Amino acid sequence: MTLATEPTVKTLGNYAYEAIQKHFKKTLKWEKAVKKDEDPEALHQMRVGMRRLRTAISRFDIALNLSKPASDKNIGKIARRLGNLRDLDVLKQTLETLYQPHLPEKEQKTLQKAFDALAKQRVSVLDKTQETLKDDSYKSLKHTLEEWLEKPSYQPLASLPIKQVLPDLLLPEVSSFLLHPGLLVGTDIIDCEVKIITDWQAEKIEQQLSAKGETIHSLRKQAKRLRYQMELFTELYDDSYAAYITKVKSIQDILGNIQDSVVMGDWLVDVFKSDIHNQLPTLANLLAENRYQWWQQWQPLQELYLKAENRHNFHLTILHPV
């Protein structure tokens, strides 16, 4: 006769272990293909795995005993190297698929100079990426995590039930997002009330992106951090939580599109050593048109997170795991 056992309570330590194991495994899965430079998708997947691993380690840090090679700083350095190569691949893919087909023949020929520069740049960045995957800091990271997963070591907080500490884990990240100055770009504050400016022409939006580009990019990164952290705990919440993740991802994607477009414009200026309106007027106009459209998509989401009621409901959702 078998005795019924009480269901075990999942702790902060359990979740930390599962998250680190999952994202470390994903990172390793794509390593060989990245070293061989077989497929841009492998690089993308490894980069995402590394970023999520970094999120898991940095957010669960209060409950873990991990040695220095697995520190947030070390993982960030490796992830950035992978990111530099991925950014070039995205730039090439976007130019080829989103813009090149819509250019007149003369501009398509001019654009070839940019593709040649990109190919040359990629060789150099690929070398650095492959070196990174062979150097001591990456090997030490792998060795440290393999040892820790074999014999995990925790701080006392790890023993607490996950549902007890979950709001305290998530709310600081939510607050950093809701209090980010990027949410106020393109607004006026009148009598303590935030009003979104909706009648800007394309030229004014371009000026704002030029002046506040870093702030907007920073908000995008904060949205990504929040999303990655929230996704660690999807199963512990209901549909309203999943809906918040979806909206935060939309913000990340839209602001990412704007940022990538600005970076592409700057990169082309660097390649041609002149304003791209001179060399590629159609492309320059397409970039500006797309930024205008993305700005229109961004504003309703911006308004959503500036409303007191929605901010309050976001907090309430986090406070009540199912």
Side-chain angles (χ1 to χ4, degrees):
M1 179 177 129
T2 56
L3 293 172
T5 55
E6 286 292 314
T8 53
V9 175
K10 287 195 85 169
T11 64
L12 179 58
N14 297 146
Y15 264 82
Y17 186 92
E18 285 172 12
I20 290 168
Q21 183 185 49
K22 177 182 175 183
H23 299 307
F24 181 50
K25 200 173 171 184
K26 179 175 180 175
T27 301
L28 293 184
K29 178 184 173 185
W30 299 99
E31 181 189 319
K32 197 178 284 185
V34 170
K35 281 180 176 172
K36 291 180 180 175
D37 194 29
E38 290 176 340
D39 179 8
E41 183 60 21
L43 175 64
H44 171 59
Q45 292 296 338
M46 186 174 182
R47 182 199 195 183
V48 170
M50 189 71 81
R51 280 176 163 179
R52 288 182 181 270
L53 178 64
R54 186 185 182 189
T55 297
I57 286 174
S58 63
R59 296 310 175 260
F60 288 120
D61 184 56
I62 52 166
L64 307 173
N65 288 319
L66 269 171
S67 56
K68 198 176 176 183
S71 69
D72 175 57
K73 190 178 175 184
N74 276 3
I75 298 174
K77 205 160 73 176
I78 296 163
R80 273 190 295 279
R81 287 277 177 88
L82 292 173
N84 291 339
L85 187 59
R86 174 63 184 164
D87 289 344
L88 291 178
D89 287 346
V90 169
L91 185 60
K92 180 173 186 275
Q93 186 184 19
T94 307
L95 272 173
E96 281 178 344
T97 58
L98 201 60
Y99 294 106
Q100 191 180 23
H102 304 291
L103 300 181
E105 193 177 337
K106 185 184 174 189
E107 284 189 46
Q108 291 204 25
K109 284 179 182 172
T110 304
L111 196 60
Q112 190 54 49
K113 182 182 175 183
F115 285 124
D116 293 343
L118 196 57
K120 200 172 174 183
Q121 208 174 327
R122 193 183 185 282
V123 171
S124 165
V125 175
L126 176 63
D127 283 347
K128 284 180 185 167
T129 303
Q130 290 173 332
E131 279 169 27
T132 299
L133 297 181
K134 290 175 189 167
D135 72 16
D136 288 343
S137 64
Y138 181 66
K139 286 177 181 171
S140 297
L141 167 66
K142 287 204 302 184
H143 180 66
T144 298
L145 288 178
E146 280 162 359
E147 280 198 330
W148 187 86
L149 287 167
E150 189 69 35
K151 197 177 178 182
S153 174
Y154 301 99
Q155 295 186 41
L157 267 176
S159 303
L160 294 178
I162 186 68
K163 288 187 181 181
Q164 184 181 322
V165 296
L166 198 44
D168 299 314
L169 269 180
L170 290 170
L171 284 172
E173 207 72 72
V174 173
S175 296
S176 295
F177 171 70
L178 294 176
L179 293 173
H180 197 288
L183 277 176
L184 295 177
V185 172
T187 67
D188 280 331
I189 301 176
I190 302 160
D191 296 331
C192 300
E193 194 176 341
V194 183
K195 300 276 187 190
I196 291 178
I197 305 165
T198 55
D199 59 355
W200 275 352
Q201 299 302 309
E203 189 181 341
K204 180 66 179 172
I205 291 170
E206 288 296 305
Q207 289 170 5
Q208 191 71 184
L209 289 174
S210 179
K212 302 283 188 181
E214 282 302 312
T215 308
I216 293 166
H217 181 46
S218 173
L219 175 61
R220 177 239 188 142
K221 290 197 285 189
Q222 180 55 38
K224 181 164 61 184
R225 279 192 291 269
L226 174 58
R227 175 193 150 209
Y228 281 179
Q229 189 174 354
M230 287 180 72
E231 284 178 346
L232 292 171
F233 307 109
T234 314
E235 70 200 60
L236 295 174
Y237 284 98
D238 60 16
D239 291 346
S240 61
Y241 181 87
Y244 279 113
I245 293 177
T246 301
K247 288 189 181 77
V248 170
K249 184 182 185 300
S250 294
I251 289 173
Q252 181 196 328
D253 289 344
I254 293 165
L255 296 184
N257 288 338
I258 292 173
Q259 170 68 11
D260 291 349
S261 174
V262 170
V263 168
M264 182 185 289
D266 291 344
W267 182 81
L268 287 166
V269 167
D270 198 45
V271 168
F272 290 102
K273 308 297 180 203
S274 73
D275 189 324
I276 60 167
H277 284 88
N278 302 329
Q279 303 274 352
L280 298 156
T282 314
L283 176 57
N285 288 333
L286 280 172
L287 285 167
E289 279 172 26
N290 282 342
R291 286 195 288 268
Y292 180 81
Q293 294 301 328
W294 287 320
W295 188 266
Q296 307 309 310
Q297 291 172 32
W298 150 238
Q299 287 194 309
L301 288 162
Q302 180 185 21
E303 186 175 22
L304 192 66
Y305 285 101
L306 287 171
K307 281 184 177 170
E309 184 187 4
N310 196 56
R311 292 161 79 99
H312 179 63
N313 288 338
F314 196 173
H315 281 105
L316 283 178
T317 299
I318 299 293
L319 282 169
H320 296 109
V322 292

